[in-house]
Amino acid sequence: MTHASQAGHAVPAGEPRGPGRQLVGTEEPVRLHREGLPRWLDPVLDAVDTVEPTQLSRFLPPEDGGGRQSAVLILFGEGEQGPELLLMERAGTLRSHAGQPSFPGGALDPEDGDPHGEGPLRAALREAEEETGLDPAGVQLFGLLPKLYIPVSEFVVTPVLGWWRAPSPVGVVDPAETARVFTVPVADLTDPANRATCVHPRGFTGPAFLVASALVWGFTAGVIDRLLHYAGWERPWDRERKIPLDWHS
């Protein structure tokens, strides 16, 4: 079976690595670097260097240092339709954010190290490997966005940006956690026809994307929306187009 059916593009053949194959060892330094990045990422680099926390979200980490430290991997690759992002859909049976598309990621473990140092980098790669089976050795980390906050789960999230320099097979590693793994072309994310404002039953509103047979909303959609905007990739779209979420979203 080709991995294109799950990941959205063809990648070298091979079996996804499971959670037991940890490639991010504590003895190996994990660093950010920008050597050899494709030029189309330059606007993203500019955004990373200039964006302020309040430009990304009104929800920022508690001043008292509370919240659970976590990280997500915003992984840019290049597919048949050009630049793309790796996303996953959480299993519908999970207690938190069930069925919701998201970036790979999760809470920092003690072995990830300093939450204010390499910890978020290690956690983003480790969680991405555990959830999607990607090979961290093929990922070049190149930037961090300011830490953000998800009040409903009390997560303090560090968005870690990476370039999928050497794509590896990806897919569902644990069906209890992940329903599917897929990529979305940036061209689809910027297409005004795929954009809308989602309305939560409790009245909250936010940006949404209808892509890859999924409705991307919440924290993930908010970060994508701001990245597209500050990278200069955003195209005018109808913010009055409303899509309601049901109570089970």
Coordinates of all heavy atoms in Angstrom, one line a residue, residues 106-180:
G106 N 2.4 17.3 22.0 CA 1.9 16.9 23.3 C 2.8 17.4 24.5 O 3.6 18.3 24.2
A107 N 2.5 17.0 25.6 CA 3.2 17.5 26.8 C 4.6 17.0 26.9 O 5.0 16.0 26.4 CB 2.5 17.0 28.1
L108 N 5.5 17.9 27.5 CA 6.9 17.5 27.7 C 7.0 16.4 28.7 O 6.3 16.5 29.8 CB 7.7 18.8 28.2 CG 8.3 19.6 27.1 CD1 7.3 20.3 26.2 CD2 9.2 20.7 27.7
D109 N 7.9 15.5 28.5 CA 8.2 14.5 29.5 C 9.5 14.9 30.2 O 10.3 15.7 29.6 CB 8.4 13.1 28.8 CG 7.1 12.5 28.4 OD1 6.1 12.9 28.8 OD2 7.2 11.5 27.6
P110 N 9.7 14.4 31.4 CA 11.0 14.8 32.1 C 12.2 14.5 31.3 O 13.2 15.3 31.3 CB 10.9 13.9 33.3 CG 9.5 13.6 33.6 CD 8.9 13.5 32.2
E111 N 12.2 13.4 30.5 CA 13.5 13.2 29.7 C 13.7 14.1 28.5 O 14.7 14.2 27.9 CB 13.4 11.7 29.1 CG 12.2 11.4 28.2 CD 11.1 10.8 29.0 OE1 10.9 11.1 30.2 OE2 10.3 10.1 28.3
D112 N 12.6 15.0 28.2 CA 12.8 15.9 27.2 C 13.8 17.1 27.6 O 14.4 17.7 26.7 CB 11.5 16.5 26.8 CG 10.6 15.5 26.1 OD1 11.1 14.7 25.3 OD2 9.3 15.5 26.3
G113 N 13.9 17.3 28.9 CA 14.8 18.3 29.4 C 14.1 19.6 29.7 O 12.9 19.7 29.9
D114 N 15.0 20.7 29.7 CA 14.6 22.0 30.2 C 13.4 22.6 29.3 O 13.6 22.8 28.1 CB 15.8 22.9 30.1 CG 15.5 24.3 30.7 OD1 14.4 24.6 31.1 OD2 16.5 25.1 30.6
P115 N 12.3 22.9 29.9 CA 11.2 23.5 29.1 C 11.6 24.8 28.5 O 10.9 25.3 27.6 CB 10.1 23.7 30.2 CG 10.4 22.7 31.3 CD 11.9 22.7 31.3
H116 N 12.6 25.5 29.1 CA 13.1 26.8 28.5 C 14.3 26.6 27.7 O 14.9 27.6 27.3 CB 13.3 27.7 29.7 CG 12.1 27.9 30.6 ND1 11.0 28.6 30.2 CD2 11.9 27.5 31.9 CE1 10.1 28.6 31.2 NE2 10.6 27.9 32.2
G117 N 14.7 25.4 27.4 CA 15.9 25.1 26.6 C 15.5 24.2 25.4 O 14.6 24.5 24.6
E118 N 16.1 23.0 25.4 CA 15.9 22.1 24.3 C 14.6 21.2 24.5 O 14.2 20.5 23.6 CB 17.0 21.1 24.2 CG 18.3 21.7 23.7 CD 19.4 20.7 23.5 OE1 19.2 19.5 23.8 OE2 20.5 21.0 22.9
G119 N 14.0 21.3 25.7 CA 12.8 20.5 26.0 C 11.7 20.5 24.9 O 11.3 19.5 24.5
P120 N 11.2 21.7 24.5 CA 10.2 21.8 23.5 C 10.6 21.2 22.2 O 9.8 20.5 21.5 CB 9.9 23.3 23.4 CG 10.3 23.8 24.7 CD 11.5 23.1 25.1
L121 N 11.9 21.3 21.8 CA 12.4 20.8 20.5 C 12.3 19.2 20.6 O 11.8 18.6 19.6 CB 13.8 21.2 20.3 CG 14.1 22.7 20.3 CD1 15.6 23.0 19.9 CD2 13.2 23.5 19.4
R122 N 12.8 18.7 21.7 CA 12.8 17.2 21.8 C 11.3 16.7 21.9 O 11.0 15.7 21.3 CB 13.5 16.8 23.1 CG 15.0 17.1 23.0 CD 15.7 16.6 24.3 NE 17.1 17.0 24.3 CZ 18.0 16.3 23.6 NH1 17.7 15.2 22.8 NH2 19.3 16.7 23.6
A123 N 10.5 17.4 22.6 CA 9.1 16.9 22.8 C 8.4 16.9 21.5 O 7.6 16.0 21.1 CB 8.4 17.8 23.8
A124 N 8.6 18.0 20.7 CA 7.9 18.1 19.4 C 8.3 17.0 18.5 O 7.4 16.3 17.8 CB 8.2 19.4 18.7
L125 N 9.6 16.6 18.4 CA 10.0 15.6 17.6 C 9.6 14.2 18.1 O 9.2 13.3 17.3 CB 11.6 15.6 17.5 CG 12.2 16.7 16.6 CD1 13.7 16.7 16.7 CD2 11.7 16.7 15.2
R126 N 9.7 14.0 19.4 CA 9.3 12.8 20.0 C 7.8 12.5 19.8 O 7.4 11.4 19.4 CB 9.6 12.8 21.5 CG 9.2 11.5 22.3 CD 9.4 11.6 23.8 NE 8.9 12.8 24.4 CZ 7.6 13.0 24.6 NH1 6.7 12.1 24.4 NH2 7.2 14.2 25.2
E127 N 7.0 13.5 20.1 CA 5.6 13.3 19.9 C 5.2 13.0 18.4 O 4.3 12.2 18.1 CB 4.8 14.5 20.4 CG 4.8 14.6 21.9 CD 3.8 13.7 22.6 OE1 2.9 13.1 21.9 OE2 3.8 13.5 23.8
A128 N 5.9 13.7 17.5 CA 5.6 13.5 16.1 C 5.9 12.1 15.7 O 5.2 11.5 14.9 CB 6.3 14.6 15.3
E129 N 7.0 11.6 16.2 CA 7.4 10.2 15.9 C 6.4 9.2 16.5 O 6.0 8.3 15.8 CB 8.8 9.9 16.4 CG 9.3 8.5 16.1 CD 10.6 8.2 16.7 OE1 11.1 8.9 17.6 OE2 11.2 7.2 16.3
E130 N 6.0 9.5 17.7 CA 5.1 8.5 18.3 C 3.7 8.6 17.7 O 3.0 7.5 17.6 CB 4.9 8.9 19.8 CG 6.2 8.7 20.6 CD 6.0 9.1 22.1 OE1 4.9 9.6 22.4 OE2 7.0 8.9 22.9
E131 N 3.3 9.7 17.2 CA 1.9 9.9 16.7 C 1.8 9.6 15.2 O 0.8 9.1 14.7 CB 1.4 11.3 16.9 CG 1.2 11.5 18.4 CD 0.8 13.0 18.7 OE1 1.2 13.9 18.0 OE2 0.1 13.2 19.7
T132 N 2.9 9.9 14.4 CA 2.8 9.7 13.0 C 3.8 8.8 12.4 O 3.8 8.4 11.2 CB 3.0 11.1 12.3 OG1 4.4 11.5 12.3 CG2 2.2 12.2 12.9
G133 N 4.8 8.3 13.2 CA 5.8 7.4 12.7 C 6.9 8.1 11.9 O 7.8 7.4 11.3
L134 N 6.9 9.4 11.8 CA 8.0 10.1 11.0 C 9.4 9.8 11.6 O 9.5 9.6 12.8 CB 7.7 11.5 10.8 CG 7.8 12.5 11.9 CD1 9.2 12.9 12.3 CD2 7.1 13.8 11.5
D135 N 10.4 9.9 10.8 CA 11.8 9.8 11.2 C 12.3 11.2 11.6 O 12.5 12.0 10.7 CB 12.6 9.2 10.1 CG 14.0 8.9 10.5 OD1 14.4 9.4 11.6 OD2 14.8 8.2 9.8
P136 N 12.5 11.5 12.8 CA 13.0 12.8 13.2 C 14.3 13.2 12.6 O 14.6 14.4 12.4 CB 13.2 12.7 14.8 CG 12.3 11.6 15.2 CD 12.3 10.6 14.0
A137 N 15.1 12.2 12.1 CA 16.4 12.5 11.5 C 16.2 13.3 10.2 O 17.1 13.9 9.7 CB 17.2 11.2 11.2
G138 N 15.0 13.2 9.6 CA 14.8 13.9 8.4 C 14.2 15.3 8.5 O 13.8 15.9 7.6
V139 N 14.0 15.7 9.8 CA 13.4 17.0 10.1 C 14.5 18.0 10.6 O 15.3 17.7 11.5 CB 12.4 16.8 11.2 CG1 11.8 18.2 11.6 CG2 11.2 15.9 10.8
Q140 N 14.5 19.2 9.9 CA 15.4 20.2 10.3 C 14.5 21.3 11.1 O 13.7 22.0 10.5 CB 16.0 20.9 9.1 CG 16.9 22.1 9.4 CD 17.6 22.6 8.2 OE1 17.7 22.0 7.2 NE2 18.0 23.9 8.2
L141 N 14.8 21.5 12.3 CA 14.1 22.5 13.1 C 14.7 23.8 12.9 O 15.9 24.0 12.9 CB 14.1 22.1 14.6 CG 13.5 20.8 15.0 CD1 13.6 20.6 16.5 CD2 12.1 20.6 14.5
F142 N 13.9 24.9 12.6 CA 14.4 26.1 12.2 C 13.9 27.3 13.0 O 14.4 28.5 12.8 CB 14.3 26.4 10.7 CG 12.9 26.5 10.2 CD1 12.2 27.7 10.3 CD2 12.3 25.4 9.6 CE1 10.9 27.8 9.8 CE2 11.0 25.5 9.1 CZ 10.3 26.7 9.2
G143 N 12.9 27.1 13.8 CA 12.3 28.3 14.5 C 11.3 27.9 15.5 O 10.8 26.8 15.6
L144 N 11.1 28.9 16.4 CA 10.1 28.8 17.5 C 9.1 30.0 17.4 O 9.6 31.1 17.2 CB 10.7 28.8 18.9 CG 11.7 27.6 19.2 CD1 12.3 27.9 20.6 CD2 11.0 26.3 19.2
L145 N 7.9 29.8 17.6 CA 6.9 30.9 17.8 C 6.8 31.1 19.4 O 7.1 30.2 20.2 CB 5.6 30.6 17.2 CG 5.5 30.5 15.7 CD1 4.1 30.1 15.2 CD2 5.9 31.8 15.1
P146 N 6.3 32.3 19.8 CA 6.1 32.5 21.2 C 5.2 31.5 21.8 O 4.3 30.9 21.2 CB 5.5 33.9 21.2 CG 5.9 34.6 20.0 CD 6.0 33.4 18.9
K147 N 5.4 31.2 23.1 CA 4.6 30.2 23.8 C 3.1 30.8 23.9 O 2.9 31.9 24.1 CB 5.1 30.0 25.2 CG 6.4 29.2 25.3 CD 6.9 29.1 26.7 CE 8.2 28.4 26.8 NZ 8.2 27.0 26.5
L148 N 2.2 29.9 23.7 CA 0.8 30.2 23.7 C 0.1 29.3 24.8 O 0.7 28.4 25.3 CB 0.1 30.0 22.3 CG 0.8 30.8 21.2 CD1 0.2 30.4 19.8 CD2 0.7 32.3 21.4
Y149 N -1.2 29.6 25.0 CA -1.9 28.9 26.1 C -3.3 28.4 25.6 O -3.9 29.1 24.8 CB -2.1 29.9 27.2 CG -2.7 29.3 28.5 CD1 -2.0 28.3 29.1 CD2 -3.9 29.8 29.0 CE1 -2.6 27.8 30.3 CE2 -4.4 29.3 30.2 CZ -3.7 28.2 30.8 OH -4.2 27.7 32.0
I150 N -3.6 27.2 26.0 CA -4.9 26.6 25.7 C -5.7 26.5 27.0 O -5.4 25.6 27.8 CB -4.8 25.3 25.0 CG1 -3.9 25.4 23.7 CG2 -6.2 24.7 24.6 CD1 -3.7 24.1 23.0
P151 N -6.6 27.4 27.3 CA -7.2 27.4 28.6 C -7.9 26.2 29.0 O -7.9 25.7 30.1 CB -8.2 28.6 28.5 CG -7.6 29.5 27.5 CD -7.0 28.6 26.5
V152 N -8.6 25.6 28.0 CA -9.5 24.4 28.3 C -8.6 23.2 28.8 O -9.1 22.4 29.6 CB -10.3 24.0 27.0 CG1 -9.4 23.5 25.9 CG2 -11.3 22.9 27.4
S153 N -7.4 23.1 28.3 CA -6.5 22.0 28.8 C -5.4 22.5 29.6 O -4.6 21.6 30.1 CB -6.0 21.2 27.5 OG -5.3 22.1 26.7
E154 N -5.2 23.8 29.8 CA -4.2 24.4 30.6 C -2.8 24.0 30.1 O -1.8 24.0 30.8 CB -4.3 24.0 32.1 CG -5.6 24.5 32.7 CD -5.7 24.2 34.2 OE1 -4.9 23.4 34.7 OE2 -6.6 24.8 34.8
F155 N -2.7 23.8 28.8 CA -1.4 23.6 28.1 C -0.7 24.9 27.8 O -1.3 25.8 27.2 CB -1.5 22.8 26.9 CG -1.6 21.3 27.1 CD1 -2.7 20.5 26.6 CD2 -0.7 20.6 27.8 CE1 -2.8 19.2 26.8 CE2 -0.8 19.2 28.0 CZ -1.8 18.5 27.5
V156 N 0.6 25.0 28.1 CA 1.4 26.1 27.6 C 2.2 25.5 26.4 O 3.0 24.6 26.6 CB 2.4 26.6 28.7 CG1 3.3 27.6 28.1 CG2 1.6 27.2 29.9
V157 N 1.9 26.0 25.2 CA 2.3 25.3 24.0 C 3.4 26.1 23.3 O 3.3 27.3 23.0 CB 1.2 25.1 23.0 CG1 1.6 24.3 21.8 CG2 0.0 24.4 23.7
T158 N 4.5 25.5 23.0 CA 5.6 26.1 22.2 C 5.5 25.5 20.8 O 5.6 24.3 20.6 CB 7.0 25.7 22.7 OG1 7.1 26.2 24.1 CG2 8.1 26.3 21.8
P159 N 5.1 26.4 19.8 CA 5.1 25.9 18.4 C 6.5 25.8 17.9 O 7.2 26.8 17.8 CB 4.2 27.0 17.7 CG 3.5 27.7 18.8 CD 4.5 27.7 20.0
V160 N 6.9 24.6 17.5 CA 8.2 24.4 16.9 C 8.1 24.2 15.4 O 7.4 23.4 15.0 CB 8.9 23.1 17.6 CG1 10.3 22.9 17.0 CG2 8.9 23.3 19.1
L161 N 8.9 25.0 14.6 CA 8.8 24.9 13.2 C 9.9 24.1 12.6 O 11.0 24.2 13.0 CB 8.8 26.3 12.6 CG 7.5 27.1 12.7 CD1 7.4 27.7 14.1 CD2 7.4 28.2 11.7
G162 N 9.5 23.3 11.6 CA 10.5 22.4 11.0 C 10.3 22.3 9.5 O 9.3 22.5 9.0
W163 N 11.4 21.9 8.8 CA 11.5 21.7 7.4 C 11.7 20.2 7.2 O 12.6 19.6 7.8 CB 12.6 22.5 6.7 CG 13.1 22.0 5.4 CD1 14.3 21.6 5.1 CD2 12.3 21.8 4.2 NE1 14.4 21.2 3.8 CE2 13.2 21.3 3.2 CE3 11.0 22.0 3.9 CZ2 12.8 21.1 1.9 CZ3 10.6 21.7 2.6 CH2 11.5 21.3 1.6
W164 N 10.8 19.5 6.5 CA 10.8 18.1 6.2 C 11.9 17.8 5.1 O 11.5 17.5 4.0 CB 9.5 17.5 5.9 CG 9.2 16.1 6.3 CD1 10.1 15.3 6.8 CD2 8.0 15.4 6.2 NE1 9.5 14.1 7.1 CE2 8.2 14.1 6.7 CE3 6.7 15.7 5.7 CZ2 7.2 13.1 6.7 CZ3 5.7 14.8 5.7 CH2 6.0 13.5 6.2
R165 N 13.1 17.9 5.5 CA 14.2 17.9 4.6 C 14.3 16.5 3.9 O 14.6 16.4 2.7 CB 15.5 18.2 5.3 CG 16.8 18.1 4.5 CD 18.0 18.5 5.3 NE 18.0 17.9 6.7 CZ 18.3 16.7 6.9 NH1 18.7 15.8 6.0 NH2 18.3 16.2 8.2
A166 N 14.1 15.5 4.6 CA 14.1 14.1 4.1 C 12.8 13.4 4.5 O 12.8 12.7 5.5 CB 15.3 13.3 4.6
P167 N 11.7 13.5 3.7 CA 10.5 12.9 4.1 C 10.6 11.4 4.3 O 11.3 10.7 3.6 CB 9.5 13.2 2.9 CG 10.1 14.4 2.2 CD 11.6 14.2 2.4
S168 N 9.8 10.9 5.3 CA 9.8 9.5 5.6 C 8.3 9.1 5.7 O 7.4 9.9 5.7 CB 10.5 9.3 7.0 OG 9.9 10.1 8.0
P169 N 8.1 7.8 5.6 CA 6.7 7.3 5.7 C 6.0 7.7 6.9 O 6.6 7.7 8.0 CB 6.8 5.8 5.6 CG 8.2 5.5 5.0 CD 9.0 6.7 5.4
V170 N 4.8 8.1 6.8 CA 4.0 8.5 8.0 C 2.6 7.8 7.9 O 2.2 7.4 6.8 CB 3.8 10.0 8.1 CG1 5.1 10.7 8.5 CG2 3.2 10.6 6.9
G171 N 2.0 7.6 9.0 CA 0.7 7.0 9.1 C 0.3 6.9 10.6 O 1.0 7.3 11.5
V172 N -0.8 6.2 10.8 CA -1.3 6.0 12.2 C -0.5 5.0 12.9 O -0.3 3.9 12.4 CB -2.8 5.6 12.2 CG1 -3.3 5.2 13.6 CG2 -3.7 6.7 11.6
V173 N 0.1 5.4 14.0 CA 0.9 4.5 14.8 C 0.0 3.8 15.9 O 0.1 2.6 16.0 CB 2.1 5.2 15.5 CG1 2.8 4.3 16.4 CG2 3.0 5.8 14.4
D174 N -0.8 4.6 16.6 CA -1.7 4.1 17.6 C -3.1 4.5 17.3 O -3.4 5.7 17.6 CB -1.2 4.6 19.0 CG -2.0 4.0 20.1 OD1 -3.0 3.3 19.8 OD2 -1.7 4.3 21.3
P175 N -4.0 3.7 16.8 CA -5.4 4.1 16.5 C -6.1 4.6 17.7 O -7.1 5.3 17.6 CB -6.0 2.8 16.0 CG -4.8 1.9 15.5 CD -3.7 2.3 16.5
A176 N -5.7 4.3 18.9 CA -6.3 4.8 20.1 C -6.1 6.3 20.3 O -6.8 7.0 21.0 CB -5.9 4.0 21.4
E177 N -5.0 6.8 19.7 CA -4.7 8.2 19.8 C -4.9 9.0 18.5 O -5.3 10.2 18.5 CB -3.2 8.4 20.2 CG -2.9 7.9 21.6 CD -1.5 8.3 22.0 OE1 -0.8 9.0 21.2 OE2 -1.1 7.9 23.1
T178 N -4.7 8.3 17.4 CA -4.7 9.0 16.1 C -5.7 8.3 15.1 O -5.6 7.1 14.9 CB -3.3 9.1 15.5 OG1 -2.4 9.6 16.5 CG2 -3.3 10.0 14.3
A179 N -6.6 9.1 14.5 CA -7.4 8.5 13.5 C -6.8 8.5 12.1 O -7.0 7.5 11.3 CB -8.7 9.3 13.4
R180 N -6.0 9.5 11.7 CA -5.4 9.5 10.4 C -4.3 10.6 10.5 O -4.3 11.5 11.3 CB -6.3 9.8 9.3 CG -7.0 11.2 9.3 CD -7.7 11.4 8.0 NE -8.5 12.6 8.0 CZ -8.6 13.4 6.9 NH1 -8.0 13.1 5.8 NH2 -9.3 14.5 7.0

